[in-house]
């Protein structure tokens, strides 16, 4: 029932997180 | 506690807060598919719910049966007439949905951290949120409706721009080993997410 594990990496300037942040 | 009493629906925000952790990838695919299924049906029936530009996780509702719907924002409803005309276009709704889903996957992570997503899911979000790096031939436009004569199979093989809820659903279905299983599979994932969250909610309410 547990949620699947996920890997965390340092935020990258060209990563999706940065791109999404620019949109919001 | 924002939640009181037995519920038939939970918002994505409720779910994130209750677990205090991000959704998993399978749930992300499922919420995308189910929500776009709802939106495409709404459009087909010609009775679009008014949708403001900036959507939030609080407006995405998961239902007991695994359906996912998008609720209009409460406050804006009083402004009825005006809102009808200022509702978002399909691509704008998809963009907002992509951002909400990403944030649900990113929930609780620090600003300097980034979750490693599987390439297909990252691609889906990239396309939905319209953050794909332009590769020269990428001329999407909000109002452009160049649907027309697209070859169904070709479209399925590689979608380079998302223009409709159906495009999102196709990508979500293509993620599965058997595409025809998509409606049942994703409904089951959402139904399970609802049931597990309700279980947790009931448990937390009891110990409170």
């Amino acid at each position: 029932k547990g949620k699947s594990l996920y890997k965390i990496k340092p935020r990258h300037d060209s990563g999706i997180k940065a791109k999404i942040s620019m949109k919001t | 506690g924002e939640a009181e009493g037995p519920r038939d629906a939970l918002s994505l925000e409720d779910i994130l807060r209750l677990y205090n952790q991000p959704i998993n990838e399978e749930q992300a695919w499922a919420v995308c598919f189910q929500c776009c299924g709802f939106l495409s049906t709404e459009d087909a029936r010609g009775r679009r719910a008014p949708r403001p530009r900036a959507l939030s996780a609080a407006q995405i509702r998961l239902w007991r049966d695994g359906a996912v719907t998008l609720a209009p924002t409460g406050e804006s409803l009083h402004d009825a007439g005006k809102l009808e005309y200022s509702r978002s276009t399909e691509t704008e709704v998809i963009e907002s949905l992509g951002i909400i889903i990403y944030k649900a996957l990113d929930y609780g992570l620090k600003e300097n951290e980034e979750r490693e997503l599987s390439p297909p899911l990252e691609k889906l979000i990239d396309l939905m949120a319209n953050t794909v790096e332009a590769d020269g031939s990428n001329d999407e436009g909000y109002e452009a409706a160049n649907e027309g004569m697209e070859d169904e199979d070709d479209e399925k093989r590689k979608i380079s721009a998302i223009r409709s809820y159906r495009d999102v659903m196709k990508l979500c279905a293509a993620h599965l080993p058997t595409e025809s299983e998509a409606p049942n599979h994703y409904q089951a994932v959402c139904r399970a997410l609802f049931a597990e969250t309700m279980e947790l909610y009931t448990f937390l309410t009891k110990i409170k």
Side-chain angles (χ1 to χ4, degrees), chain B residues 100-124:
Chain B
I100 292 168
I101 297 294
Y102 183 77
K103 287 187 167 174
L105 287 158
D106 185 60
Y107 189 84
L109 268 74
K110 297 187 186 116
E111 267 311 297
N112 59 351
E113 295 172 337
E114 181 162 351
R115 175 176 179 166
E116 196 164 304
L117 292 175
S118 66
L121 184 58
E122 186 167 321
K123 174 85 175 165
L124 175 77

mmCIF file of all heavy atoms in Angstrom, chain B residues 100-124:
data_model
loop_
_atom_site.group_PDB
_atom_site.id
_atom_site.type_symbol
_atom_site.label_atom_id
_atom_site.label_comp_id
_atom_site.label_asym_id
_atom_site.label_seq_id
_atom_site.Cartn_x
_atom_site.Cartn_y
_atom_site.Cartn_z
ATOM 1 N N ILE B 100 -0.081 21.921 -11.699
ATOM 2 C CA ILE B 100 -0.632 21.373 -10.451
ATOM 3 C C ILE B 100 -0.097 19.960 -10.205
ATOM 4 O O ILE B 100 0.304 19.618 -9.093
ATOM 5 C CB ILE B 100 -2.178 21.345 -10.501
ATOM 6 C CG1 ILE B 100 -2.731 22.760 -10.486
ATOM 7 C CG2 ILE B 100 -2.744 20.552 -9.319
ATOM 8 C CD1 ILE B 100 -4.216 22.834 -10.817
ATOM 9 N N ILE B 101 -0.085 19.156 -11.261
ATOM 10 C CA ILE B 101 0.400 17.782 -11.113
ATOM 11 C C ILE B 101 1.879 17.792 -10.738
ATOM 12 O O ILE B 101 2.320 17.041 -9.869
ATOM 13 C CB ILE B 101 0.181 16.973 -12.426
ATOM 14 C CG1 ILE B 101 -1.316 16.845 -12.753
ATOM 15 C CG2 ILE B 101 0.831 15.594 -12.346
ATOM 16 C CD1 ILE B 101 -2.136 16.019 -11.790
ATOM 17 N N TYR B 102 2.646 18.669 -11.385
ATOM 18 C CA TYR B 102 4.065 18.721 -11.021
ATOM 19 C C TYR B 102 4.227 19.091 -9.554
ATOM 20 O O TYR B 102 5.023 18.491 -8.825
ATOM 21 C CB TYR B 102 4.867 19.695 -11.900
ATOM 22 C CG TYR B 102 6.321 19.634 -11.493
ATOM 23 C CD1 TYR B 102 7.117 18.565 -11.900
ATOM 24 C CD2 TYR B 102 6.860 20.561 -10.606
ATOM 25 C CE1 TYR B 102 8.423 18.432 -11.451
ATOM 26 C CE2 TYR B 102 8.164 20.437 -10.154
ATOM 27 C CZ TYR B 102 8.937 19.381 -10.577
ATOM 28 O OH TYR B 102 10.225 19.230 -10.121
ATOM 29 N N LYS B 103 3.461 20.079 -9.126
ATOM 30 C CA LYS B 103 3.580 20.524 -7.737
ATOM 31 C C LYS B 103 3.162 19.429 -6.751
ATOM 32 O O LYS B 103 3.692 19.356 -5.650
ATOM 33 C CB LYS B 103 2.761 21.794 -7.522
ATOM 34 C CG LYS B 103 3.422 22.989 -8.181
ATOM 35 C CD LYS B 103 2.725 24.265 -7.850
ATOM 36 C CE LYS B 103 3.599 25.444 -8.269
ATOM 37 N NZ LYS B 103 2.888 26.723 -8.086
ATOM 38 N N ALA B 104 2.214 18.615 -7.183
ATOM 39 C CA ALA B 104 1.787 17.504 -6.323
ATOM 40 C C ALA B 104 2.897 16.441 -6.235
ATOM 41 O O ALA B 104 3.041 15.774 -5.216
ATOM 42 C CB ALA B 104 0.496 16.885 -6.856
ATOM 43 N N LEU B 105 3.680 16.318 -7.294
ATOM 44 C CA LEU B 105 4.806 15.382 -7.285
ATOM 45 C C LEU B 105 5.985 15.957 -6.496
ATOM 46 O O LEU B 105 6.834 15.228 -6.002
ATOM 47 C CB LEU B 105 5.259 15.102 -8.724
ATOM 48 C CG LEU B 105 4.344 14.209 -9.568
ATOM 49 C CD1 LEU B 105 4.594 14.450 -11.052
ATOM 50 C CD2 LEU B 105 4.550 12.738 -9.229
ATOM 51 N N ASP B 106 6.002 17.263 -6.404
ATOM 52 C CA ASP B 106 7.110 17.990 -5.788
ATOM 53 C C ASP B 106 6.783 18.367 -4.331
ATOM 54 O O ASP B 106 7.619 18.945 -3.635
ATOM 55 C CB ASP B 106 7.349 19.268 -6.622
ATOM 56 C CG ASP B 106 8.541 20.069 -6.164
ATOM 57 O OD1 ASP B 106 9.651 19.516 -6.182
ATOM 58 O OD2 ASP B 106 8.365 21.243 -5.770
ATOM 59 N N TYR B 107 5.588 18.012 -3.914
ATOM 60 C CA TYR B 107 5.081 18.444 -2.605
ATOM 61 C C TYR B 107 6.057 18.113 -1.470
ATOM 62 O O TYR B 107 6.505 16.974 -1.330
ATOM 63 C CB TYR B 107 3.732 17.765 -2.327
ATOM 64 C CG TYR B 107 3.005 18.295 -1.111
ATOM 65 C CD1 TYR B 107 2.219 19.435 -1.193
ATOM 66 C CD2 TYR B 107 3.102 17.643 0.109
ATOM 67 C CE1 TYR B 107 1.549 19.921 -0.088
ATOM 68 C CE2 TYR B 107 2.430 18.126 1.232
ATOM 69 C CZ TYR B 107 1.658 19.262 1.125
ATOM 70 O OH TYR B 107 0.999 19.744 2.230
ATOM 71 N N GLY B 108 6.360 19.120 -0.663
ATOM 72 C CA GLY B 108 7.203 18.897 0.511
ATOM 73 C C GLY B 108 8.697 18.950 0.241
ATOM 74 O O GLY B 108 9.500 18.939 1.165
ATOM 75 N N LEU B 109 9.077 18.996 -1.023
ATOM 76 C CA LEU B 109 10.505 19.072 -1.324
ATOM 77 C C LEU B 109 11.008 20.491 -1.128
ATOM 78 O O LEU B 109 10.255 21.453 -1.273
ATOM 79 C CB LEU B 109 10.777 18.618 -2.769
ATOM 80 C CG LEU B 109 11.091 17.134 -2.935
ATOM 81 C CD1 LEU B 109 9.835 16.304 -2.784
ATOM 82 C CD2 LEU B 109 11.706 16.875 -4.297
ATOM 83 N N LYS B 110 12.288 20.592 -0.792
ATOM 84 C CA LYS B 110 12.862 21.916 -0.596
ATOM 85 C C LYS B 110 13.091 22.588 -1.949
ATOM 86 O O LYS B 110 13.150 21.917 -2.970
ATOM 87 C CB LYS B 110 14.199 21.795 0.145
ATOM 88 C CG LYS B 110 14.041 21.209 1.544
ATOM 89 C CD LYS B 110 15.378 21.269 2.279
ATOM 90 C CE LYS B 110 15.268 20.563 3.609
ATOM 91 N NZ LYS B 110 16.128 19.373 3.697
ATOM 92 N N GLU B 111 13.272 23.902 -1.888
ATOM 93 C CA GLU B 111 13.473 24.682 -3.114
ATOM 94 C C GLU B 111 14.695 24.216 -3.910
ATOM 95 O O GLU B 111 14.709 24.253 -5.129
ATOM 96 C CB GLU B 111 13.622 26.169 -2.780
ATOM 97 C CG GLU B 111 12.312 26.932 -2.854
ATOM 98 C CD GLU B 111 11.539 26.678 -4.152
ATOM 99 O OE1 GLU B 111 12.068 27.020 -5.217
ATOM 100 O OE2 GLU B 111 10.416 26.130 -4.100
ATOM 101 N N ASN B 112 15.728 23.777 -3.170
ATOM 102 C CA ASN B 112 16.963 23.389 -3.858
ATOM 103 C C ASN B 112 17.007 21.900 -4.202
ATOM 104 O O ASN B 112 18.033 21.379 -4.610
ATOM 105 C CB ASN B 112 18.185 23.777 -3.024
ATOM 106 C CG ASN B 112 18.168 23.120 -1.654
ATOM 107 O OD1 ASN B 112 17.169 22.510 -1.256
ATOM 108 N ND2 ASN B 112 19.270 23.248 -0.925
ATOM 109 N N GLU B 113 15.874 21.239 -3.995
ATOM 110 C CA GLU B 113 15.815 19.818 -4.329
ATOM 111 C C GLU B 113 14.891 19.609 -5.518
ATOM 112 O O GLU B 113 13.951 20.363 -5.717
ATOM 113 C CB GLU B 113 15.231 19.011 -3.164
ATOM 114 C CG GLU B 113 16.069 18.996 -1.922
ATOM 115 C CD GLU B 113 15.318 18.332 -0.762
ATOM 116 O OE1 GLU B 113 14.069 18.275 -0.778
ATOM 117 O OE2 GLU B 113 15.997 17.888 0.163
ATOM 118 N N GLU B 114 15.153 18.557 -6.246
ATOM 119 C CA GLU B 114 14.312 18.238 -7.388
ATOM 120 C C GLU B 114 14.105 16.731 -7.438
ATOM 121 O O GLU B 114 15.043 15.961 -7.250
ATOM 122 C CB GLU B 114 15.009 18.719 -8.676
ATOM 123 C CG GLU B 114 14.203 18.452 -9.913
ATOM 124 C CD GLU B 114 14.659 19.298 -11.103
ATOM 125 O OE1 GLU B 114 15.489 20.216 -10.928
ATOM 126 O OE2 GLU B 114 14.175 19.027 -12.204
ATOM 127 N N ARG B 115 12.892 16.346 -7.663
ATOM 128 C CA ARG B 115 12.592 14.926 -7.708
ATOM 129 C C ARG B 115 12.977 14.364 -9.075
ATOM 130 O O ARG B 115 12.695 14.984 -10.098
ATOM 131 C CB ARG B 115 11.099 14.733 -7.479
ATOM 132 C CG ARG B 115 10.635 13.309 -7.612
ATOM 133 C CD ARG B 115 9.172 13.234 -7.269
ATOM 134 N NE ARG B 115 8.670 11.886 -7.408
ATOM 135 C CZ ARG B 115 7.503 11.491 -6.926
ATOM 136 N NH1 ARG B 115 6.727 12.345 -6.284
ATOM 137 N NH2 ARG B 115 7.093 10.263 -7.081
ATOM 138 N N GLU B 116 13.564 13.191 -9.068
ATOM 139 C CA GLU B 116 13.895 12.562 -10.337
ATOM 140 C C GLU B 116 12.654 11.855 -10.863
ATOM 141 O O GLU B 116 12.202 10.888 -10.273
ATOM 142 C CB GLU B 116 15.037 11.580 -10.146
ATOM 143 C CG GLU B 116 15.675 11.195 -11.446
ATOM 144 C CD GLU B 116 17.022 10.533 -11.242
ATOM 145 O OE1 GLU B 116 17.898 11.141 -10.601
ATOM 146 O OE2 GLU B 116 17.158 9.402 -11.708
ATOM 147 N N LEU B 117 12.122 12.366 -11.934
ATOM 148 C CA LEU B 117 10.923 11.769 -12.522
ATOM 149 C C LEU B 117 11.313 10.825 -13.650
ATOM 150 O O LEU B 117 12.348 11.002 -14.290
ATOM 151 C CB LEU B 117 10.021 12.862 -13.096
ATOM 152 C CG LEU B 117 9.355 13.814 -12.115
ATOM 153 C CD1 LEU B 117 8.597 14.896 -12.869
ATOM 154 C CD2 LEU B 117 8.419 13.081 -11.162
ATOM 155 N N SER B 118 10.465 9.849 -13.907
ATOM 156 C CA SER B 118 10.731 8.968 -15.044
ATOM 157 C C SER B 118 10.581 9.813 -16.315
ATOM 158 O O SER B 118 9.728 10.713 -16.367
ATOM 159 C CB SER B 118 9.766 7.798 -15.054
ATOM 160 O OG SER B 118 8.461 8.258 -15.285
ATOM 161 N N PRO B 119 11.421 9.552 -17.329
ATOM 162 C CA PRO B 119 11.383 10.400 -18.536
ATOM 163 C C PRO B 119 9.995 10.555 -19.166
ATOM 164 O O PRO B 119 9.635 11.669 -19.549
ATOM 165 C CB PRO B 119 12.388 9.726 -19.472
ATOM 166 C CG PRO B 119 13.340 9.030 -18.549
ATOM 167 C CD PRO B 119 12.520 8.569 -17.371
ATOM 168 N N PRO B 120 9.173 9.487 -19.269
ATOM 169 C CA PRO B 120 7.858 9.713 -19.896
ATOM 170 C C PRO B 120 6.960 10.667 -19.109
ATOM 171 O O PRO B 120 6.243 11.472 -19.699
ATOM 172 C CB PRO B 120 7.230 8.308 -19.941
ATOM 173 C CG PRO B 120 8.354 7.358 -19.758
ATOM 174 C CD PRO B 120 9.389 8.062 -18.957
ATOM 175 N N LEU B 121 7.010 10.584 -17.789
ATOM 176 C CA LEU B 121 6.167 11.486 -16.993
ATOM 177 C C LEU B 121 6.689 12.919 -17.072
ATOM 178 O O LEU B 121 5.918 13.874 -17.170
ATOM 179 C CB LEU B 121 6.100 11.018 -15.527
ATOM 180 C CG LEU B 121 5.178 11.834 -14.625
ATOM 181 C CD1 LEU B 121 3.742 11.855 -15.138
ATOM 182 C CD2 LEU B 121 5.205 11.317 -13.185
ATOM 183 N N GLU B 122 8.006 13.054 -17.064
ATOM 184 C CA GLU B 122 8.578 14.395 -17.186
ATOM 185 C C GLU B 122 8.197 15.004 -18.532
ATOM 186 O O GLU B 122 7.862 16.177 -18.632
ATOM 187 C CB GLU B 122 10.101 14.336 -17.026
ATOM 188 C CG GLU B 122 10.697 15.728 -17.004
ATOM 189 C CD GLU B 122 12.141 15.755 -16.530
ATOM 190 O OE1 GLU B 122 12.483 15.018 -15.596
ATOM 191 O OE2 GLU B 122 12.909 16.540 -17.117
ATOM 192 N N LYS B 123 8.204 14.162 -19.556
ATOM 193 C CA LYS B 123 7.830 14.612 -20.908
ATOM 194 C C LYS B 123 6.360 15.060 -20.929
ATOM 195 O O LYS B 123 6.012 16.088 -21.511
ATOM 196 C CB LYS B 123 8.064 13.454 -21.885
ATOM 197 C CG LYS B 123 7.599 13.701 -23.302
ATOM 198 C CD LYS B 123 8.644 14.422 -24.099
ATOM 199 C CE LYS B 123 8.214 14.551 -25.556
ATOM 200 N NZ LYS B 123 9.003 15.528 -26.283
ATOM 201 N N LEU B 124 5.502 14.264 -20.294
ATOM 202 C CA LEU B 124 4.079 14.612 -20.253
ATOM 203 C C LEU B 124 3.884 15.979 -19.595
ATOM 204 O O LEU B 124 3.182 16.840 -20.124
ATOM 205 C CB LEU B 124 3.294 13.546 -19.471
ATOM 206 C CG LEU B 124 1.811 13.870 -19.252
ATOM 207 C CD1 LEU B 124 0.994 13.626 -20.515
ATOM 208 C CD2 LEU B 124 1.209 13.065 -18.101
#
